Amino acid sequence: MRTTVTGRYRRPWPRPGSGEGEDELDQLLVDLEALRADVVASTRSCDPLTDPANISGATNLDHYLALRSSDLRPLQTVLSSFGLSSLGRSESRVLSTLDAVLRAVRALSAVHDRKQVAVDTPLAVSELAASEPAASVQSERDAEWDGEGTELLELNTAALLGPRPSTRRTRIMVTMPTEAADTPAFVASLVDRGMDVARINCAHDDAETWMSIARHVREAAFRSDRVVRVLVDLAGPKLRTGPIASLPPVVRARPVRNSLGRVVAAGRVTLVPSGGAVGEDCVPLDRSFLARLNVDDLIELHDAREAHRHLVVESTSGSEVHALVMQTTYFTNGVELRVGKHQVGNVEGLPPQPGFVTLHVGDVITLGNEEEPTSLEGPVHLGCTLPEAIGALAPGHWVFFDDGKFAAEVLHVGGPRATLRITDAPADGGRLRAEKGINLPDTVVPVSALTDKDVADLAELSSFADAVSMSFVRTADEVEALHQALDAIGGDHLGVVLKIETGDGFRNLPALLRVAMRRPATGVMIARGDLAVEAGYERLAELQEEILWLCEAAHLPVIWATQVLDTLARTGTPSRSEVTDAGASERAECVMLNKGPFILDAVSVLDDILRRMESHQDKKRPLLRQLRSWT
């Protein structure tokens, strides 16, 4: 005998057809009716402030939470043995799915009673057709997939993220780089390749830049006859490392060497006019010197180490000059370059390099709220951007830096500083720079997710945004505070996205959704970077699945975010694992790409992946399209 557990009750289940009892279907019917009663009893009084578009979702959310309050796996096994739905895809219509299964069980039970058919013998089609109750079984099971819940989810998705694209269900969101404010052609290319939502991050740049980006998005969408929404991401109380003393202004150019140390290709360096922006691997020189350079000119210099070096001009492009080096060369301000006896130019305007501290396992460091830059010499002391965090720490708490690259345990807290021991770091030590994220999974920091800066930013962005996302949200009160702030600026037209990136945010998700559904256009973003650090990487897959399920039950769209095709966007070549991850993202209503030099390629590749996967998968339901690979 085995035991199935549904809700508060336990029932012995004989193996179907084992001869241990003839009441298998009767027992199944009793358990299903009891489960349905529990689900109905769980329905809360509807929040009177819930938007009419979300009333059905709020009720179904209660039903789903009740359904999943017990371990249903034994019951699923029994349902499957009878060829019935095992409730595994009931998220969007919990009560309707239970009713469909109950009708099927009653129909089978009626056939069993009249025909006395053994339950381990497949029922003949003619016998099922002869039964009036059974005639509706198939239509009811079909309704399980194509009913009201799916339609409401699509309506809510369109309200928040825009209309469904013509070639796929899942939208594509792209994080806008700062350069998008000055390059409308780049934004137009993103739209042409399939971007449906443009994300502007308020943690960077200013209101003028944000407005310029949004204007380019609107213009590109208009020219392409498409709707492209603008989502603005509020910065929130992001905890980051404080300033670190800068390194001297140095650019290193070096040739390519093989494993034996032999030069196999020249190194390259770009000489640019001083006084303007200086990019990576660029050396600024006075314009008059650059203007006189020609292809194949030989440039001599003594570099920052006083080593005698040569450059050969490879090409010129506008005001820039591209040169080759065959030996490692260090450039710094004041280095003199010569061509012949009379052409002389000096490196000038090279900015300091960002500083860093090197951390190893076992290092003891301090973390404080001082704003002075961290010294590059002596014991490591790091500042942080949120002083309230220091007072909330306690011995034994964990602290993670730079998306989990470094882990540390709190040893002592005293005054404005905490003493930490590094427990995880790269094998040979790793570099930690300023403005890197700090995660405190064990610590409740007494700061609201809605900061004063966020409130000020709302007033600026309300004129050009379609929706705002709330970072580091943890409690229902914080969601309510955002709603009040939007009401204060007349932001009724703005949708709201809750970014789930903390342990508290995940644990409180049902409460967050209930308050969020007071507005008509709302959704959730799975911010997988911070969430993985907070909850542990080993739990990320489980957590994102549960968030997808819960939001589908509430008929709310989900944005799958962080490091989707990240290697492709940064380097131009995707990794195998991230292509698989992108394929799995089809289950969300929207997928977010981060910025990178190859972001246009990433949008095209993601568009292709989503189109292909949508012919095979619809949320949790596999689609049995004809396979052409072997036919």
Side-chain angles (χ1 to χ4, degrees):
M1 302 283 282
R2 54 181 174 169
T3 299
T4 183
V5 181
T6 58
R8 300 182 303 274
Y9 21 84
R10 296 173 178 269
R11 288 197 171 276
W13 275 98
R15 180 174 57 82
S18 63
E20 297 178 24
E22 297 183 355
D23 59 347
E24 293 98 330
L25 286 170
D26 291 338
Q27 289 185 5
L28 180 58
L29 188 61
V30 168
D31 255 13
L32 285 171
E33 288 175 339
L35 178 60
R36 186 188 188 282
D38 272 2
V39 167
V40 172
S42 73
T43 307
R44 300 156 55 108
S45 297
C46 188
D47 183 344
L49 299 178
T50 299
D51 187 88
N54 291 321
I55 290 176
S56 176
T59 301
N60 193 66
L61 174 63
D62 291 340
H63 292 164
Y64 185 70
L65 289 169
L67 181 75
R68 297 302 304 273
S69 64
S70 300
D71 186 351
L72 299 178
R73 288 174 295 178
L75 178 61
Q76 288 184 291
T77 301
V78 176
L79 288 168
S80 296
S81 71
F82 284 105
L84 301 173
S85 166
S86 62
L87 309 176
R89 293 187 288 272
S90 60
E91 287 84 3
S92 64
R93 300 179 73 234
V94 173
L95 208 56
S96 296
T97 302
L98 279 172
D99 287 341
V101 175
L102 276 167
R103 279 189 284 272
V105 173
R106 291 187 185 115
L108 290 175
S109 181
V111 171
H112 179 278
D113 290 343
R114 291 202 303 270
K115 304 290 186 178
Q116 295 183 349
V117 178
V119 295
D120 62 338
T121 302
L123 293 171
V125 173
S126 59
E127 292 174 314
L128 283 175
S131 169
E132 181 179 349
S136 65
V137 171
Q138 186 59 46
S139 62
E140 293 293 345
R141 291 185 62 184
D142 289 342
E144 183 179 340
W145 319 129
D146 302 319
E148 178 187 12
T150 302
E151 295 171 0
L152 288 173
L153 175 58
E154 185 54 46
L155 288 172
N156 289 335
T157 302
L160 180 68
L161 302 173
R164 178 173 178 158
S166 59
T167 57
R168 50 181 157 76
R169 181 187 69 85
T170 304
R171 282 74 168 170
I172 295 176
M173 178 186 295
V174 180
T175 300
M176 294 289 98
T178 303
E179 308 85 76
D182 303 316
T183 52
F186 167 73
V187 177
S189 295
L190 286 172
V191 173
D192 291 340
R193 297 210 183 193
M195 179 179 73
D196 305 293
V197 184
R199 172 179 174 257
I200 298 174
N201 190 353
C202 283
H204 306 289
D205 307 316
D206 53 27
E208 183 178 354
T209 302
W210 307 334
M211 292 181 68
S212 180
I213 294 173
R215 183 173 63 255
H216 294 329
V217 171
R218 303 293 187 205
E219 292 170 352
F222 177 78
R223 287 194 296 269
S224 299
D225 193 25
R226 293 186 55 212
V227 175
V228 179
R229 293 288 171 89
V230 175
L231 171 74
V232 180
D233 195 357
L234 299 176
K238 180 66 174 178
L239 179 58
R240 297 183 181 273
T241 53
I244 296 175
S246 298
L247 294 167
V250 175
V251 167
R252 180 179 66 173
R254 56 181 176 175
V256 180
R257 301 178 184 273
N258 63 17
S259 58
L260 298 176
R262 295 170 182 165
V263 174
V264 294
R268 285 178 167 79
V269 64
T270 302
L271 310 180
V272 298
S274 57
V278 180
E280 188 177 356
D281 296 330
C282 291
V283 176
L285 293 152
D286 51 273
R287 291 177 180 271
S288 60
F289 175 74
L290 293 176
R292 295 194 299 272
L293 293 177
N294 299 297
V295 174
D296 294 333
D297 277 353
L298 180 67
I299 305 173
E300 295 188 75
L301 70 144
H302 286 84
D303 74 358
R305 302 168 299 164
E306 294 299 327
H308 187 229
R309 294 289 184 259
H310 298 85
L311 308 179
V312 177
V313 176
E314 179 185 31
S315 64
T316 60
S317 175
S319 60
E320 293 184 351
V321 174
H322 306 280
L324 304 176
V325 299
M326 299 303 293
Q327 294 174 290
T328 301
T329 305
Y330 290 83
F331 299 88
T332 189
N333 290 327
V335 167
E336 184 180 85
L337 282 68
R338 287 180 173 273
V339 177
K341 295 182 179 179
H342 304 292
Q343 286 182 245
V344 180
N346 292 287
V347 178
E348 55 186 27
L350 194 63
Q353 299 298 301
F356 59 84
V357 294
T358 303
L359 300 178
H360 301 81
V361 173
D363 286 351
V364 176
I365 67 173
T366 55
L367 182 67
N369 56 20
E370 291 86 354
E371 297 182 359
E372 291 297 320
T374 296
S375 172
L376 301 181
E377 300 179 356
V380 175
H381 169 73
L382 294 171
C384 69
T385 58
L386 206 61
E388 296 88 345
I390 304 301
L393 290 171
H397 283 192
W398 288 100
V399 180
F400 295 93
F401 299 97
D402 195 2
D403 288 336
K405 181 178 179 181
F406 304 92
E409 182 182 7
V410 177
L411 302 179
H412 173 73
V413 180
R417 293 191 176 190
T419 303
L420 318 176
R421 177 186 290 114
I422 303 297
T423 60
D424 288 288
D428 297 322
R431 296 178 175 182
L432 179 62
R433 301 184 185 274
E435 291 296 309
K436 294 299 181 181
I438 302 176
N439 292 91
L440 309 175
D442 303 321
T443 309
V444 179
V445 182
V447 176
S448 172
L450 188 70
T451 66
D452 292 341
K453 178 184 184 304
D454 295 335
V455 174
D457 289 343
L458 282 174
E460 297 283 354
L461 60 86
S462 63
S463 63
F464 62 83
D466 296 303
V468 298
S469 58
M470 190 178 199
S471 300
F472 303 102
V473 60
R474 297 171 300 175
T475 68
D477 289 343
E478 292 171 336
V479 181
E480 192 168 1
L482 175 61
H483 288 179
Q484 292 171 353
L486 290 172
D487 292 341
I489 62 169
D492 293 343
H493 62 289
L494 294 175
V496 171
V497 173
L498 306 181
K499 292 176 65 178
I500 305 304
E501 50 196 326
T502 68
D504 285 341
F506 173 77
R507 286 185 288 272
N508 295 331
L509 184 55
L512 300 181
L513 295 182
R514 290 187 178 105
V515 175
M517 286 191 284
R518 294 174 181 175
R519 297 178 70 89
T522 192
V524 164
M525 177 185 290
I526 310 176
R528 302 187 300 168
D530 283 295
L531 185 59
V533 177
E534 293 262 339
Y537 284 93
E538 66 278 2
R539 287 206 65 203
L540 178 60
E542 177 186 13
L543 266 55
Q544 72 182 15
E545 288 296 308
E546 293 183 8
I547 293 172
L548 284 167
W549 299 338
L550 202 66
C551 291
E552 186 178 359
H555 305 153
L556 297 179
V558 173
I559 302 168
W560 179 296
T562 312
Q563 293 187 324
V564 178
L565 296 179
D566 183 59
T567 306
L568 172 59
R570 290 186 292 104
T571 69
T573 304
S575 67
R576 288 185 292 272
S577 59
E578 70 182 15
V579 171
T580 302
D581 178 62
S585 71
E586 179 273 332
R587 291 184 48 210
E589 282 63 51
C590 183
V591 184
M592 190 188 89
L593 295 171
N594 282 324
K595 53 194 174 184
F598 299 92
I599 185 59
L600 291 174
D601 293 338
V603 173
S604 296
V605 170
L606 180 60
D607 176 69
D608 183 64
I609 290 172
L610 292 176
R611 291 188 195 193
R612 292 174 183 274
M613 289 305 299
E614 285 184 7
S615 66
H616 297 289
Q617 191 80 21
D618 178 25
K619 301 296 278 186
K620 288 169 63 178
R621 180 166 59 119
L623 302 176
L624 303 184
R625 189 205 75 183
Q626 177 190 5
L627 289 180
R628 303 183 181 93
S629 302
W630 303 287
T631 58

